[in-house]
Amino acid sequence: MHSPADSEFDNLIIKAWQDYQQGDKSALDGIYPDLLPFCQRVSSKTCKRYISEQDEEAGIARMALLEALEKYNPAKGRFIYFLGQVIRSRIIDYKRKEKNRKMLHFSFLLREGNRMTEAVDDSFFEGIIDDLARKQEIVALQKLLQDYNIGFKDLAGVSPRQVKTRESARKIARLIAGNEQLNRYMLEKKMLPVKELEEKWQVNRKIAERYRKFIIATTLIYLHEFPYLQSYILPVRGGDENAQ
Amino acid sequence: MPNRKAVVVEAGKGWAVILLPGGEYKRIKTNRYLEAGDLYQVNKVARVKYLAAAAIFLIILLGSIDYYTVQAYAEVSSLELGINRWGRVVSVEARDAEGQRILETAKIKNEPLENAVEKISRAIKEEKPDRQGVGKPSLSVNGKGKAKQELKQKMLEKMNKGLQRATPEKNKDAAKVLKNDAESQKSNINDLNNRNKQGNMEDPKVKQNHSKTNPEFEHPGLGDQAGKPALSEDLPLSKNDLATEANEDKQTGNTAVMKKNNENGRKKQSD
């Protein structure tokens, strides 16, 4: 999926690439912070574990970025896909050298070797770009929830299991998000306006109190620009809605 | 129902919190490497397999507990056999040295009752060829009710069968008594059925007038070697003993059978 934001980003990269080709070594400074998460994610997905800045693979990914800028040709397609392929190739080469240099456990080679070397197409990197976009929203939501002393583990403990109850809670969240008075109360006091919801809007007090954290999280998703997360909190259409 | 993709919102070593389509947050266990933002394929099949495995385990566990639950006690020679609902011997206790010796030679545990009685009878014959068969076989069941009495009748018939197979001539008298008792047990069951129909099971007069053949307190046995069937003070549990015990039990709150159960339970635990 190629969104306008992707096109804008691609244009930025093309501009930086052109400047870099013409000798401006500082041309990367503008796009480096945006590319780094992508490089880290490709490394992690290739190695099937979290790669931090201190890991050897992170250094290889940084070198692969420079190599991609040297070798890229717009005729080859989107820069981001090309970059992903280069990073992946360099990490696989590194792992092969490591395998030759020291004894790796046989089962690791059986388990990981084939998966690492299997060829991937652009959809693999497209998936990573989508993952990163989702992660951005999730990290932003996590920061907002911290003000209410709510974590995602808490939400797992208080999520309504029944579809009907969850739908009632979601409607309460929708009501709060759509009403300025109610959502201002919540944002200022960091709590639900339960009394007003019950008296003025005939909201079930038990549901509001029992699923307070869930309702707050859902309200925050409605209030902010979280298109990915918003698609998840809507009720599932058709099928077995009582599943899970 | 097609599998849905959830989004990972938080992940750690061996776990993750996912947001399912529909808005439910759920904590899962996983060995996969996951990061916030990843899509996660929810696997319903694994859950069904897990539930099926749990159900099978529970059935096996309950079945095992039921298998080892003693429903009746049979006394053969100086051995007390605990019998389960399927007529198998699940516990054995020797009351004296002779019984202990029989236990060492004859493999009785988990045997059907008739086989166990046969083995005991043969073991006694080998040790004391002059002895006139097994002495004072008896049977008691835990609890009341028609089902228990039917179980008792069935077990009496099995004991009889076992004796017949072992040494029919020497155990002729014991077998005869068991047979008579089984038949009287049958009529007791019919009586029970009739009382149920008439609705006078709780009539205290009926309890007070219970005869020697009352299914709850009957302990048929062989009186002496000459083959005189008798219910007398010679029996391990005579009517007088039972009356005394019943009075004592009222005070202590235990039944004789429950005491036996406790003893056997302790013996099994120490085993």
Side-chain angles (χ1 to χ4, degrees):
Chain A
M1 261 195 324
H2 213 95
S3 67
D6 290 338
S7 300
E8 198 181 314
F9 186 60
D10 286 346
N11 292 338
L12 271 172
I13 293 177
I14 298 286
K15 174 97 179 41
W17 171 73
Q18 284 169 344
D19 292 343
Y20 187 81
Q21 289 286 320
Q22 283 160 16
D24 181 5
K25 298 299 175 198
S26 67
L28 292 180
D29 294 350
I31 57 164
Y32 193 74
D34 295 311
L35 289 175
L36 211 54
F38 177 80
C39 298
Q40 184 268 336
R41 196 76 156 202
V42 171
S43 310
S44 298
K45 290 272 187 191
T46 305
C47 300
K48 297 276 189 294
R49 63 179 180 86
Y50 179 71
I51 301 296
S52 70
E53 276 295 307
Q54 287 73 39
D55 287 321
E56 195 73 39
E57 289 85 348
I60 292 165
R62 282 193 291 272
M63 286 172 55
L65 172 57
L66 293 173
E67 185 186 337
L69 283 164
E70 298 272 339
K71 293 180 178 175
Y72 174 65
N73 186 336
K76 289 180 183 175
R78 283 183 77 188
F79 173 77
I80 202 84
Y81 298 158
F82 179 73
L83 171 61
Q85 292 284 8
V86 174
I87 293 172
R88 203 175 141 75
S89 302
R90 293 297 155 260
I91 287 179
I92 290 168
D93 289 342
Y94 166 74
K95 288 291 183 193
R96 281 203 185 114
K97 281 180 193 160
E98 283 288 296
K99 186 195 89 175
N100 292 333
R101 200 167 60 81
K102 51 184 179 181
M103 290 288 286
L104 284 177
H105 197 276
F106 185 62
S107 64
F108 169 82
L109 292 172
L110 278 178
R111 193 175 64 244
E112 299 296 340
N114 289 337
R115 268 193 245 165
M116 275 178 62
T117 56
E118 68 189 19
V120 294
D121 59 15
D122 291 349
S123 62
F124 177 79
F125 303 109
E126 190 74 56
I128 289 179
I129 292 168
D130 287 341
D131 290 350
L132 288 169
R134 275 189 292 270
K135 185 179 178 179
Q136 258 187 321
E137 288 185 19
I138 289 165
V139 167
L141 176 63
Q142 196 171 30
K143 279 199 179 112
L144 291 168
L145 288 171
Q146 273 170 1
D147 290 343
Y148 298 81
N149 252 332
I150 299 172
F152 286 125
K153 282 190 236 180
D154 300 326
L155 292 174
V158 299
S159 265
R161 298 273 175 251
Q162 291 298 318
V163 172
K164 249 182 162 178
T165 316
R166 202 158 59 236
E167 184 55 16
S168 300
R170 189 190 66 80
K171 281 178 179 166
I172 296 171
R174 192 92 177 99
L175 170 66
I176 298 170
N179 184 293
E180 201 183 317
Q181 198 180 359
L182 291 173
N183 67 54
R184 202 174 340 128
Y185 181 98
M186 191 189 91
L187 292 169
E188 283 171 14
K189 308 266 186 191
K190 306 295 180 207
M191 45 198 269
L192 287 184
V194 177
K195 195 176 173 186
E196 191 170 343
L197 284 169
E198 188 188 20
E199 287 172 1
K200 212 169 170 184
W201 300 94
Q202 286 81 51
V203 160
N204 187 324
R205 190 188 186 95
K206 269 190 185 170
I207 289 182
E209 283 177 349
R210 193 172 173 188
Y211 301 108
R212 178 184 63 85
K213 290 181 180 178
F214 178 83
I215 292 169
I216 289 172
T218 309
T219 308
L220 289 171
I221 292 172
Y222 274 127
L223 283 173
H224 293 83
E225 289 285 325
F226 296 144
Y228 275 113
L229 293 177
Q230 279 185 11
S231 69
Y232 272 87
I233 61 173
L234 293 172
V236 176
R237 282 185 209 147
D240 182 4
E241 298 194 6
N242 282 325
Q244 302 303 324
Chain B
M1 160 94 205
N3 284 331
R4 301 169 292 166
K5 282 199 176 180
V7 62
V8 178
V9 293
E10 193 178 352
K13 195 172 181 186
W15 64 272
V17 176
I18 59 174
L19 173 58
L20 292 159
E24 183 187 351
Y25 295 87
K26 190 171 180 169
R27 184 169 172 152
I28 56 162
K29 283 186 187 172
T30 177
N31 293 323
R32 277 175 53 187
Y33 160 68
L34 291 170
E35 273 190 69
D38 284 350
L39 290 179
Y40 181 82
Q41 184 75 54
V42 179
N43 191 352
K44 288 181 75 62
V45 173
R47 193 181 176 207
V48 169
K49 276 187 187 170
Y50 170 78
L51 285 172
I56 289 167
F57 171 76
L58 204 64
I59 288 166
I60 292 170
L61 181 70
L62 292 173
S64 303
I65 291 169
D66 196 32
Y67 180 85
Y68 288 105
T69 302
V70 172
Q71 300 288 344
Y73 287 97
E75 273 207 41
V76 184
S77 185
S78 56
L79 288 170
E80 184 187 80
L81 314 178
I83 306 153
N84 69 10
R85 67 167 74 246
W86 290 287
R88 292 220 171 222
V89 176
V90 292
S91 71
V92 187
E93 194 181 323
R95 294 198 183 282
D96 59 20
E98 185 196 22
Q100 194 58 44
R101 283 197 300 276
I102 295 168
L103 271 187
E104 281 159 18
T105 54
K107 184 178 167 282
I108 297 165
K109 248 188 167 173
N110 295 314
E111 288 285 328
L113 179 58
E114 61 269 30
N115 292 0
V117 169
E118 183 187 347
K119 282 186 181 181
I120 293 166
S121 188
R122 288 190 193 281
I124 290 169
K125 183 192 169 186
E126 276 177 29
E127 189 173 304
K128 291 180 181 171
D130 298 333
R131 188 161 143 182
Q132 291 292 321
V134 301
K136 303 177 185 176
S138 66
L139 185 79
S140 62
V141 289
N142 301 334
K144 303 177 184 181
K146 185 184 167 188
K148 294 292 180 184
Q149 302 315 309
E150 283 173 350
L151 174 72
K152 185 173 180 182
Q153 188 211 339
K154 215 169 143 188
M155 295 300 114
L156 285 168
E157 285 167 6
K158 282 179 186 277
M159 285 174 77
N160 184 30
K161 202 174 162 187
L163 290 173
Q164 291 287 342
R165 288 202 314 231
T167 48
E169 301 78 27
K170 291 197 176 178
N171 284 324
K172 200 165 53 175
D173 294 323
K176 190 178 174 186
V177 169
L178 284 174
K179 191 179 172 189
N180 288 339
D181 292 334
E183 277 165 15
S184 73
Q185 189 66 20
K186 236 184 205 172
S187 70
N188 287 336
I189 290 169
N190 288 334
D191 284 343
L192 267 174
N193 284 335
N194 292 335
R195 281 178 204 159
N196 277 336
K197 281 176 191 168
Q198 290 163 13
N200 61 354
M201 274 297 286
E202 296 307 315
D203 188 346
K205 285 185 187 173
V206 174
K207 275 190 181 172
Q208 288 164 14
N209 289 334
H210 72 75
S211 67
K212 291 178 184 180
T213 56
N214 185 307
E216 294 316 310
F217 302 103
E218 184 182 355
H219 286 277
L222 180 63
D224 55 42
Q225 312 305 345
K228 287 182 191 173
L231 290 169
S232 69
E233 291 81 9
D234 293 333
L235 289 172
L237 281 172
S238 69
K239 267 172 58 179
N240 289 338
D241 288 336
L242 290 164
T244 312
E245 274 196 287
N247 285 333
E248 285 173 357
D249 288 338
K250 269 182 192 171
Q251 290 163 11
T252 62
N254 272 329
T255 62
V257 175
M258 279 172 64
K259 277 184 191 169
K260 276 192 183 177
N261 280 343
N262 291 339
E263 284 165 9
N264 282 333
R266 279 198 288 277
K267 188 175 161 49
K268 278 183 194 167
Q269 283 168 13
S270 63
D271 287 343

